[in-house]
């Protein structure tokens, strides 16, 4: 499948899959979307706490890197697990401009380490943030009662509806601790019904730039 690094409307880059007409992040702004969906409406709920996070779709590492940068601001200690079935190639990662766009040049080595670290090994990026990248199909996730927060950032329902199934959301529900939270950019009725079927309480929130709505779900 042909892949191309493109610039989104907020200046940050993403990867576009031509055959699917699908991108890893919103064309309206990759960084804006990540901050709105996953930080403002997810991570910020756990200010001042130790947080275990599961990301569904590690991709370019943008969500993990922004979370790393936000953790000191929110006074958090974070154990981050990113699941990805098809890791992004190193040459594509080097094309991403997140370090510059986030004005985080002093953390360039951390961004590199995120991508250079071995898959399935837990790596301490500093005393407050550890990262484990798992190369795994989402259907094979079997964690139980492990996470406080899930970033659900799979490719869209239009191109991969099987990743938004009741089966997958049951796995997400099982992976969360009691009172755990799942946030996603999605806002389709079929997705909401699957979430509710497995036990989630779902609320609709204002979406990121270019998208009217998004979901947040509670266990």
């Amino acid at each position: 499948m042909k892949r191309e690094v493109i610039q989104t409307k907020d200046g940050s880059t993403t990867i576009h899959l031509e055959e699917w007409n699908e991108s890893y992040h919103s064309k309206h702004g990759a960084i804006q979307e990540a901050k709105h969906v996953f930080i403002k409406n997810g991570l910020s709920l756990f200010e001042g706490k130790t947080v275990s996070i599961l990301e569904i779709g590690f991709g370019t590492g943008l969500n993990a890197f922004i979370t790393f940068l936000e953790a000191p601001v929110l006074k958090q200690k974070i154990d981050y697990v990113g699941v990805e079935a098809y890791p992004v190639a190193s040459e594509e990662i080097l094309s991403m401009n997140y370090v510059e766009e986030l004005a985080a040049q002093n953390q360039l080595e951390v961004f590199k380490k995120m991508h250079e670290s071995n898959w399935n090994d837990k790596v301490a990026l500093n005393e407050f943030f550890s990262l484990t990248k798992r190369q795994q199909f989402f259907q094979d996730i079997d964690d139980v009662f492990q996470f406080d927060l899930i970033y659900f950032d799979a490719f869209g329902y239009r191109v991969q509806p099987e990743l938004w199934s009741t089966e997958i959301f049951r796995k997400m529900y099982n992976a969360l601790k009691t009172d755990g939270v799942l946030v996603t950019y999605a806002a389709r009725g079929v997705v909401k019904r699957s979430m509710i079927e497995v036990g989630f309480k779902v609320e609709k929130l204002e979406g990121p730039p270019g998208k009217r709505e998004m979901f947040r779900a509670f266990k």
Side-chain angles (χ1 to χ4, degrees):
M1 191 179 299
K2 186 177 179 183
R3 302 160 66 91
E4 179 186 11
V5 174
I6 64 169
Q7 188 174 65
T8 67
K9 285 186 179 178
D10 68 0
S12 56
T13 50
T14 190
I15 297 169
H16 182 70
L17 306 178
E18 193 173 287
E19 186 179 323
W20 284 355
N21 190 27
E22 178 81 353
S23 299
Y24 276 65
H25 312 94
S26 170
K27 291 182 179 180
H28 296 279
I31 287 175
Q32 286 183 154
E33 178 189 47
K35 286 188 171 183
H36 179 88
V37 175
F38 302 111
I39 306 302
K40 178 182 176 181
N41 289 302
L43 189 66
S44 66
L45 300 180
F46 298 88
E47 186 169 357
K49 298 180 180 178
T50 296
V51 191
S52 52
I53 299 174
L54 174 66
E55 180 181 15
I56 302 301
F58 183 76
T60 64
L62 175 59
N63 296 332
F65 189 55
I66 292 178
T67 300
F68 172 85
L69 297 176
E70 290 291 333
V73 179
L74 294 170
K75 301 178 175 61
Q76 293 166 321
K77 185 172 183 178
I78 293 178
D79 185 4
Y80 197 104
V81 175
V83 176
E84 179 62 54
Y86 301 101
V88 175
S90 57
E91 58 267 25
E92 290 178 308
I93 293 300
L94 293 174
S95 301
M96 298 294 112
N97 66 355
Y98 304 143
V99 172
E100 294 77 15
E101 289 298 312
L102 289 163
Q105 285 85 348
N106 62 328
Q107 300 296 349
L108 174 61
E109 291 308 310
V110 169
F111 183 71
K112 287 181 179 178
K113 190 173 181 179
M114 283 182 162
H115 293 283
E116 292 170 354
S117 63
N118 292 330
W119 287 84
N120 305 309
D121 287 349
K122 187 171 184 174
V123 178
L125 298 178
N126 63 18
E127 59 189 303
F128 302 109
F129 193 104
S130 65
L131 170 67
T132 306
K133 297 182 300 182
R134 295 198 325 220
Q135 188 170 0
Q136 183 181 35
F137 290 108
F138 303 156
Q139 292 88 341
D140 296 333
I141 292 172
D142 59 1
D143 303 278
V144 176
F145 207 67
Q146 291 294 312
F147 299 100
D148 301 294
L149 176 62
I150 293 176
Y151 293 170
F152 199 90
D153 200 18
F155 282 129
Y157 183 91
R158 178 181 61 85
V159 296
Q160 287 195 305
E162 69 277 10
L163 302 184
W164 302 84
S165 66
T166 301
E167 175 195 359
I168 295 294
F169 282 114
R170 184 169 286 112
K171 289 178 176 292
M172 299 301 100
Y173 190 86
N174 291 340
L176 282 172
K177 300 174 185 176
T178 302
D179 299 323
V181 180
L182 181 151
V183 281
T184 183
Y185 64 87
R188 282 179 177 257
V190 64
V191 171
K192 182 178 181 179
R193 289 190 290 275
S194 289
M195 289 177 169
I196 291 172
E197 184 177 338
V198 303
F200 279 114
K201 179 182 177 183
V202 184
E203 63 179 348
K204 192 177 287 184
L205 304 172
E206 180 184 354
K211 188 170 178 61
R212 196 158 54 91
E213 298 167 332
M214 59 165 280
F215 287 148
R216 180 165 62 192
F218 297 88
K219 180 173 179 177

